[in-house]
Amino acid sequence: MPLSKRAVDLLGATLLLLLLAPALAALTAAVAVSARGRVLVPKRCTGAGGRPFRMLAFRVAPGTRTGRLLHRHYLDHLPQLVNVLRGEMSLVGPRPLPVDRIPADSARARTSVRPGITGLWQTGGRSGLPWEEMAVQDLHYIREHWLGMDLMILARTVSTARRGRPVRAAAGAPPARVPRPQGLRQA
């Protein structure tokens, strides 16, 4: 991994944790009182070099208002900033997959980089893609990534999180249209 990418990861994760400390404390309290159970849920995933690690996330109870808020605005991913500081993840990269779910055909490429909190397909307004198309976007990122692309993805992450995931339509209603990303080459 280029030194500049790791420097951006360390600086970005540290600044975000410091700036978001009050919000993280409030979210931790909200998760704790919204439903019983752990506040943080570690998920066993595959990292760079095929090494397993425990990815942190806030527990999301879908039936609670807090859980819906966390999930809709991707706030459940904020504890992964700790994974970035540990060197297990990057701010930008393909999303980590559970240890038992890495497809053989993309395993070598996916594990050649650190998995990320955000990535190309997450910020392109296309999070409803089938697995195959998401994998193509991840492989495109792995082949073509550079610091400028990472900074663009990070900038888009803020508006993507603010806008939130599309609300699922009621049965029989057409799905919400999601805008297509601008300025990226198709893989």
Side-chain angles (χ1 to χ4, degrees), residues 65-93:
R65 183 176 176 194
T66 301
R68 287 190 301 272
L69 173 76
L70 289 171
H71 180 72
R72 178 160 166 72
H73 295 284
Y74 305 93
L75 299 172
D76 52 329
H77 297 291
L78 286 176
Q80 292 163 21
L81 291 168
V82 173
N83 291 111
V84 173
L85 288 179
R86 290 180 185 164
E88 299 162 333
M89 292 180 71
S90 180
L91 292 174
V92 180

Side-chain angles (χ1 to χ4, degrees), residues 46-176:
T46 302
R51 288 182 299 280
F53 71 99
R54 296 209 180 271
M55 180 179 71
L56 301 173
F58 280 122
R59 178 178 40 84
V60 176
T64 67
R65 183 176 176 194
T66 301
R68 287 190 301 272
L69 173 76
L70 289 171
H71 180 72
R72 178 160 166 72
H73 295 284
Y74 305 93
L75 299 172
D76 52 329
H77 297 291
L78 286 176
Q80 292 163 21
L81 291 168
V82 173
N83 291 111
V84 173
L85 288 179
R86 290 180 185 164
E88 299 162 333
M89 292 180 71
S90 180
L91 292 174
V92 180
R95 283 298 290 161
L97 294 177
V99 170
D100 59 345
R101 288 201 41 212
I102 294 221
D105 59 336
S106 67
R108 178 175 293 235
R110 288 189 76 84
T111 60
S112 68
V113 298
R114 285 187 177 122
I117 295 175
T118 187
L120 190 56
W121 63 265
Q122 291 92 341
T123 60
R126 301 171 66 183
S127 61
L129 290 174
W131 161 251
E132 295 79 18
E133 291 182 47
M134 289 188 293
V136 167
Q137 290 287 322
D138 281 344
L139 292 176
H140 173 75
Y141 172 81
I142 291 165
R143 284 192 312 269
E144 304 292 330
H145 76 278
W146 57 290
L147 188 56
M149 179 186 264
D150 282 4
L151 295 175
M152 179 197 63
I153 291 169
L154 287 170
R156 286 185 177 181
T157 297
V158 175
S159 63
T160 299
R162 189 177 327 126
R163 186 174 51 248
R165 298 172 203 245
V167 178
R168 298 194 185 198

